[in-house]
């Protein structure tokens, strides 16, 4: 503490996958100011408007202060006993798959770790899924197919050193502002650098681009398959890299060719001018250092895994990967989507990048945890999970730090499902979330500034959030709440954690357990190699944890200070150590509009976060856009008799969305855009996801949130 009574803490922004470092000034149990941490590698001192307003989001307004059962305040003991008794009785009668946890990329890694351990190791079900399923599942599955493991090979510094950046399915100017500023700054310093944006909308990022290709929604894999063909035809392949480090190139190329007779077919499939297509292909082919930066426009698709692999195929084919300024870079939406994946937050994974497909991997986790009842098969993915709540097969669900009544596709089904579910537990910080209305048990959780624990951002940098102020009322950390329930379920010894660092150490130890590099000199026969290895932190002291210097994994004996880039040696995490080309048949979205419909795209706006439970409290963050809107092309406005600034209603799946018409040439004809943030607490009929068909990618279960045919008419 200083002479003024103020303290400075180094912590992180909780909003997006960039994971900016923050210096927070604390006085009288209040964060009174924030600024960017110049030492944090993600932001080097910068913050966007959301991050720099963090201290203004505090206060008791709408905070949940006490546990509640059926609407009445109760003690923690009563609340956790109610949950444990109900879960125990349900499991005894219907088996472990009759219960589920639905988690969030907002949770810290330690929270995720204990929730996953309790469900998969001790209750004995794989039914732990997360809202990261709506965000990252496609990229995760694509990484595994190509590299053998869910690994982002590059880092943010590559965005500064790339000579060309292809931004596809992302609008970082709004959704990831700090990494976007890096790209723009690098181009200012060297105007020869090119930014190519491939997006049906003329977004803020597209307006800054050297080249914008407004492709047909969903045609991304056609674009990258076409690029693969172009690279081969123009003699721009890195044949040496393909031969030494990759597998399956010929088949991937032949499959891409099977859909086109020549490149002009690609332009037709993507609905763009051939000259623009060729100009972009030429930039990729002629530039040594190229990064493809992709996000939800690729992932939130019924063929998102294939789209991501089509991108990776082109980087492998040219050796533009695993080196400075080159790679396929998947950026996460949420602050800890990657940390959640590290500990098995998705129902299809075990912890520590291990998987259900291999019985040796299940056995490894079982032995490490001394788990009495390890799950042996994947659990339900998000959309299926809520379907099974609706069908009655899942009879108890615990939802933590997320708002599925707003965010899930076909969100009115989620509402109905929770209404009839015998036990809905919701861990939350704020009262004004739609999901809380369906909770039998409400648990007050601590939030940013109050809780300590680690996160991993999109470029593998692990940072530690600090507890700087006391949580209000009886709010507790999520890991503590889960641990309390685990104790009441009879698992006291395995969940004997006093502090977040105890969990972190165990997580770090598991990552290194029977794990060694395939080329390591000392290697036990049973070792199962995973790149994700932070075993050098398995004995970290509390003080080092509290003053943790942000570091990129792996962090192990060979790399005690972390690793900037992975796969630089061309050794991948597959069995044969080669990267896999994946043959891709490009596909359009599963449900196309009929003549009476338009295609609804949805996404973030600049100053809001998720369902606004935090950013909606700051007046200045509402000034950029203060109500739900519908961006409509002038042709469609005429066709549907819509005037600028009037209200219009969208409908699908017996649900409506009401927003103000914004007529703009930024939209292609037949396509509209709506922001995702508003919900029924802020504006009637503004839950966009209620209009989204529950169509998912068969390979990963991620819903097609970017492409929903809807009807539109004046309100
Ligand atoms: Fe926070 Fe993301 Fe903005 Fe950084 S870019 S300050 S992490 S919202």
């Amino acid at each position: 503490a200083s002479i003024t009574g103020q303290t400075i803490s180094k912590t992180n922004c909780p909003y997006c996958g960039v994971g900016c470092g923050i210096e927070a000034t604390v006085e009288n149990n209040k964060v009174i100011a924030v600024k960017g941490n110049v030492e944090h590698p993600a932001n080097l001192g910068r913050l966007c408007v959301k991050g720099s307003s963090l201290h203004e989001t505090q206060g008791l307004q709408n905070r949940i202060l006490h546990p509640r059962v059926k609407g009445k305040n109760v003690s923690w003991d009563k609340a956790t006993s109610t949950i444990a008794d109900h879960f125990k009785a349900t499991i005894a009668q219907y088996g472990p798959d009759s219960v589920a946890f639905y988690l969030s990329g907002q949770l810290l890694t330690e929270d995720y770790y204990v929730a996953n351990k309790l469900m998969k190791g001790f209750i004995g079900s794989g039914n732990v899924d997360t809202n990261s399923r709506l965000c990252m599942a496609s990229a995760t599955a694509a990484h595994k197919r190509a590299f053998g493991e869910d690994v982002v090979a590059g880092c943010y510094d590559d965005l500064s050193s790339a000579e060309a950046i292809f931004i596809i399915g992302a609008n970082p100017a709004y959704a990831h502002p700090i990494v976007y500023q890096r790209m723009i700054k690098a181009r200012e310093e060297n105007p020869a650098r090119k930014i190519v944006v491939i997006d049906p909308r003329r977004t803020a990022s597209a307006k800054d681009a050297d080249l914008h290709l407004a492709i047909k929604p969903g045609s991304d894999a056609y674009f990258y398959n076409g690029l693969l063909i172009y690279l081969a035809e123009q003699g721009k392949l890195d044949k040496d890299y393909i031969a030494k480090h990759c597998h399956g190139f010929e088949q991937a190329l032949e499959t891409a060719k099977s859909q086109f007779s020549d490149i002009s077919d690609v332009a037709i499939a993507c609905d763009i001018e051939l000259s623009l297509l060729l100009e972009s292909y030429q930039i990729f082919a002629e530039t040594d250092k190229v990064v493809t930066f992709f996000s939800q426009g690729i992932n939130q698709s019924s063929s998102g895994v294939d789209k991501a692999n089509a991108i990776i195929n082109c980087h492998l084919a040219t050796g533009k990967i695993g080196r400075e300024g080159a790679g396929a870079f998947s950026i996460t939406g949420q602050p800890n989507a990657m940390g959640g994946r590290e500990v098995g937050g998705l129902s299809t994974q075990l912890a520590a990048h291990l998987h259900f497909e291999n019985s040796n991997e299940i056995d490894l986790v079982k032995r490490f945890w001394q788990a009495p009842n390890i799950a042996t098969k994947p659990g339900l993915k998000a959309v299926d999970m809520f379907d099974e709540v609706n069908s009655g097969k899942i009879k108890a669900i615990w939802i933590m730090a997320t708002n599925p009544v707003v965010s899930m596709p076909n969100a009115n089904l989620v509402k109905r499902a929770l209404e009839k579910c015998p036990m809905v537990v919701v861990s939350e910080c704020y009262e004004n979330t739609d999901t809380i209305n369906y909770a039998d048990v409400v648990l007050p959780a601590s939030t940013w500034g109050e809780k300590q624990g680690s996160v991993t951002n999109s470029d593998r940098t692990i940072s530690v959030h600090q507890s700087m102020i006391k949580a209000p009322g009886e709010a507790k950390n999520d890991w503590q709440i889960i641990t309390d329930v685990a104790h009441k379920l009879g698992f006291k010894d395995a969940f004997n954690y006093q502090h977040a660092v105890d969990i972190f150490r165990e997580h770090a130890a598991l990552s290194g357990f029977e794990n060694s590099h395939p080329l390591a000199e000392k290697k036990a026969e049973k070792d199962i190699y995973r790149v994700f290895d932070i075993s050098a932190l398995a004995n970290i002291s509390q003080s080092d944890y509290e003053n943790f210097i942000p570091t990129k994994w792996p962090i192990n004996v060979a790399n005690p200070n972390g690793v900037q880039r992975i796969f630089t040696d061309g050794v991948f995490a597959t069995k044969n150590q080669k990267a896999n080309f994946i043959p891709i048949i490009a596909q359009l979205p599963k449900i196309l509009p009929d003549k009476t419909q338009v295609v609804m795209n949805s996404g973030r706006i600049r100053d809001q976060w998720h369902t606004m439970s935090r950013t909606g409290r700051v007046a200045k963050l509402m000034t950029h856009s203060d109500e739900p809107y519908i961006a409509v092309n002038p042709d469609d406005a005429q066709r549907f008799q819509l005037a600028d600034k009037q209200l219009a209603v969208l409908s699908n799946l017996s649900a409506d969305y009401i927003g103000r018409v914004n007529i703009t040439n930024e939209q292609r004809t037949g396509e509209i855009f709506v922001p995702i943030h508003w919900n029924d607490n802020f504006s009637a009929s503004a839950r966009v996801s209620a209009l989204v068909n529950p169509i998912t990618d068969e390979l990963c279960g991620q819903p097609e949130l970017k492409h929903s045919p809807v009807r539109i008419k004046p309100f």
Side-chain angles (χ1 to χ4, degrees):
S2 71
I3 207 156
T4 59
Q6 293 179 351
T7 53
I8 308 282
S9 277
K10 288 192 172 147
T11 190
N12 279 78
C13 176
Y15 286 138
C16 88
V18 178
C20 295
I22 280 179
E23 266 187 31
T25 306
V26 182
E27 188 179 81
N28 293 331
N29 198 40
K30 202 163 180 258
V31 179
I32 57 166
V34 294
K35 64 175 185 176
N37 174 3
V38 289
E39 289 166 4
H40 197 289
N43 55 318
L44 308 168
R46 292 175 164 218
L47 291 180
C48 77
V49 62
K50 289 193 289 280
S52 56
S53 310
L54 258 169
H55 56 296
E56 297 173 49
T57 64
Q58 297 170 103
L60 287 179
Q61 187 199 356
N62 282 328
R63 282 300 296 268
I64 304 168
L65 300 176
H66 306 285
R68 297 199 294 264
V69 174
K70 301 279 180 198
K72 289 207 174 86
N73 287 355
V74 297
S75 66
W76 269 112
D77 185 50
K78 170 78 179 163
T80 49
S81 293
T82 302
I83 299 165
D85 292 348
H86 196 98
F87 269 65
K88 242 191 235 171
T90 305
I91 294 162
Q93 192 171 355
Y94 301 103
D97 289 335
S98 63
V99 300
F101 293 165
Y102 187 61
L103 314 179
S104 162
Q106 303 299 314
L107 292 171
L108 303 181
T109 302
E110 291 77 359
D111 304 321
Y112 252 125
Y113 182 89
V114 287
N116 186 56
K117 179 178 176 182
L118 176 58
M119 183 58 86
K120 290 195 186 132
F122 290 75
I123 289 175
S125 170
N127 285 345
V128 184
D129 214 42
T130 156
N131 61 14
S132 294
R133 179 74 61 192
L134 316 182
C135 170
M136 292 309 305
S138 294
T140 299
H143 292 155
K144 180 128 193 330
R145 287 205 299 184
F147 309 139
E149 188 171 338
D150 175 20
V151 172
V152 173
C155 60
Y156 294 153
D157 288 353
D158 292 329
L159 303 173
S160 302
S161 49
E163 292 156 346
I165 299 181
F166 279 53
I167 299 172
I168 184 163
N171 180 17
Y174 278 16
H176 302 99
I178 295 302
V179 290
Y180 184 67
Q181 286 173 20
R182 279 192 174 204
M183 301 178 202
I184 295 296
K185 186 162 175 271
R187 190 181 56 179
E188 277 166 11
E189 286 166 2
N190 179 359
R193 288 182 172 139
K194 294 276 179 276
I195 297 178
V196 178
V197 170
I198 302 145
D199 194 313
R201 298 167 57 212
R202 187 161 167 75
T203 60
S205 310
K207 286 175 194 164
D208 286 339
D210 297 284
L211 191 61
H212 171 215
L213 285 80
I215 61 170
K216 185 200 282 190
S219 63
D220 317 72
Y222 291 91
F223 179 88
Y224 271 89
N225 267 359
L227 175 58
L228 191 67
I229 297 166
Y230 177 90
L231 294 166
E233 284 178 356
Q234 299 295 316
K236 296 294 180 185
L237 301 171
D238 186 336
K239 290 186 177 160
D240 191 43
Y241 189 88
I242 293 171
K244 275 196 191 134
H245 304 301
C246 304
H247 169 81
F249 171 73
E250 289 303 333
Q251 203 193 338
L253 180 61
E254 286 314 310
T255 306
K257 281 182 176 171
S258 70
Q259 284 188 290
F260 307 115
S261 53
D262 68 33
I263 291 288
S264 61
D265 286 352
V266 182
I268 294 167
C270 297
D271 192 22
I272 47 170
E273 283 175 32
L274 179 60
S275 59
L276 282 180
L277 181 86
L278 292 175
E279 191 180 342
S280 68
Y281 284 0
Q282 194 180 5
I283 292 171
F284 192 102
E286 302 290 341
T287 310
D288 179 41
K289 294 178 180 176
V290 182
V291 169
T292 297
F293 181 96
F294 68 96
S295 192
Q296 312 311 344
I298 294 295
N299 294 334
Q300 292 179 332
S301 159
S302 55
S303 57
V305 185
D306 281 353
K307 287 176 181 176
N309 279 117
I311 293 169
I312 294 168
N313 281 349
C314 291
H315 283 270
L316 291 172
T318 48
K320 298 185 204 294
I321 197 160
R323 60 189 173 88
E324 188 187 351
F329 193 95
S330 144
I331 183 124
T332 68
Q334 300 198 74
N336 199 27
M338 194 183 284
R341 282 139 68 190
E342 287 156 16
V343 296
L346 292 165
S347 61
T348 35
Q349 308 171 325
L350 284 161
H353 282 201
L354 292 158
H355 290 85
F356 287 106
E357 290 88 31
N358 182 340
S359 59
N360 293 334
E361 298 189 19
I362 299 172
D363 184 58
L364 185 154
V365 179
K366 180 182 173 175
R367 283 184 287 111
F368 182 85
W369 280 342
Q370 298 182 11
N373 199 17
I374 190 96
T376 53
K377 61 179 189 337
L380 294 165
K381 304 179 192 100
V383 170
D384 301 333
M385 183 179 277
F386 285 99
D387 279 350
E388 294 296 23
V389 175
N390 191 47
S391 75
K393 283 195 186 137
I394 289 182
K395 297 173 190 307
I397 185 164
W398 187 350
I399 298 164
M400 301 177 205
T402 185
N403 197 358
V405 168
V406 177
S407 53
M408 285 291 294
N410 198 8
N412 282 347
L413 177 138
V414 173
K415 212 178 197 182
R416 292 194 295 275
L418 294 180
E419 252 163 11
K420 61 189 178 189
C421 183
M423 171 58 70
V424 177
V425 181
V426 175
S427 299
E428 246 303 342
C429 311
Y430 298 105
E431 294 284 6
N432 57 337
T433 72
D434 303 49
T435 302
I436 216 163
N437 299 329
Y438 305 92
D440 299 283
V441 180
V442 175
L443 305 172
S446 57
T447 185
W448 179 83
E450 299 160 6
K451 65 193 295 190
Q452 187 180 50
S454 60
V455 290
T456 309
N457 72 3
S458 300
D459 80 343
R460 292 176 281 104
T461 301
I462 297 177
S463 305
V464 174
H465 279 236
Q466 297 307 334
S467 163
M468 303 174 286
I469 55 176
K470 194 175 167 308
E474 296 181 87
K476 281 192 184 188
N477 299 327
D478 289 278
W479 67 263
Q480 287 175 310
I481 304 171
I482 302 159
T483 297
D484 290 348
V485 171
H487 289 186
K488 290 195 170 163
L489 287 169
F491 307 125
K492 196 156 186 166
D493 292 345
F495 291 83
N496 188 19
Y497 308 115
Q498 306 303 318
H499 190 280
V501 72
D502 299 334
I503 303 163
F504 186 81
R505 287 186 196 122
E506 184 179 309
H507 160 52
L510 173 55
S511 74
F513 185 59
E514 297 175 3
N515 180 8
S516 70
H517 192 278
L519 304 182
E521 276 175 27
K522 283 189 185 166
K523 188 165 92 129
E525 205 163 300
K526 62 183 172 183
D527 281 359
I528 298 166
Y529 173 56
R530 347 18 130 185
V531 179
F532 177 70
D533 178 357
I534 56 167
S535 51
L537 305 173
N539 297 309
I540 190 169
S541 69
Q542 184 153 336
S543 151
D544 285 351
Y545 179 71
E546 284 170 3
N547 298 293
F548 190 77
I549 297 167
T551 310
K552 292 178 189 29
W553 58 258
I555 309 163
N556 51 16
V557 175
N559 310 285
N561 301 315
V563 175
Q564 191 75 340
R565 289 176 195 86
I566 300 182
F567 307 139
T568 49
D569 53 2
V571 175
F572 290 86
T574 52
K575 275 203 179 118
N576 61 9
Q577 297 162 26
K578 292 188 168 192
N580 292 316
F581 280 95
I582 306 296
I584 302 298
I585 294 285
Q587 294 166 61
L588 287 176
K590 286 234 171 81
I591 302 186
L592 298 173
D594 65 29
K595 283 187 181 152
T596 65
Q597 293 173 313
V598 289
V599 170
M600 180 181 77
N601 184 3
S602 65
R604 292 180 180 188
I605 58 173
R606 195 189 69 188
D607 293 353
Q608 292 301 332
W609 164 78
H610 282 203
T611 56
M612 299 167 70
S613 51
R614 193 181 256 283
T615 45
R617 298 153 71 96
V618 182
K620 77 173 179 216
L621 295 181
M622 298 299 284
T623 56
H624 180 245
S625 189
D626 61 355
E627 60 181 355
Y629 67 85
I630 305 167
V632 182
N633 177 283
D635 294 343
D636 290 320
Q638 198 175 25
R639 179 177 159 214
F640 294 102
Q641 298 178 331
L642 303 165
D644 198 31
K645 307 296 175 222
Q646 82 166 126
L647 292 177
V649 56
L650 309 176
S651 51
N652 192 34
L653 299 173
S654 310
D656 290 339
Y657 169 99
I658 299 167
R660 199 167 296 283
V661 172
N662 171 16
I663 299 178
T664 169
N665 281 313
E666 292 168 8
Q667 293 296 129
R668 287 164 42 108
T669 306
E671 297 158 23
I672 59 170
F673 175 81
V674 291
I676 57 169
H677 310 284
W678 275 272
N679 54 71
D680 294 351
N681 280 304
F682 287 92
S683 179
S685 296
R687 287 182 305 123
V688 176
S689 295
L691 279 62
V692 174
N693 297 303
I695 303 293
T696 60
D697 185 321
E698 284 167 15
L699 297 170
C700 72
Q702 180 147 2
E704 189 143 67
L705 284 151
K706 292 287 187 197
H707 193 279
S708 307
V710 299
R711 295 208 158 77
I712 182 168
K713 61 178 185 190
F715 179 62

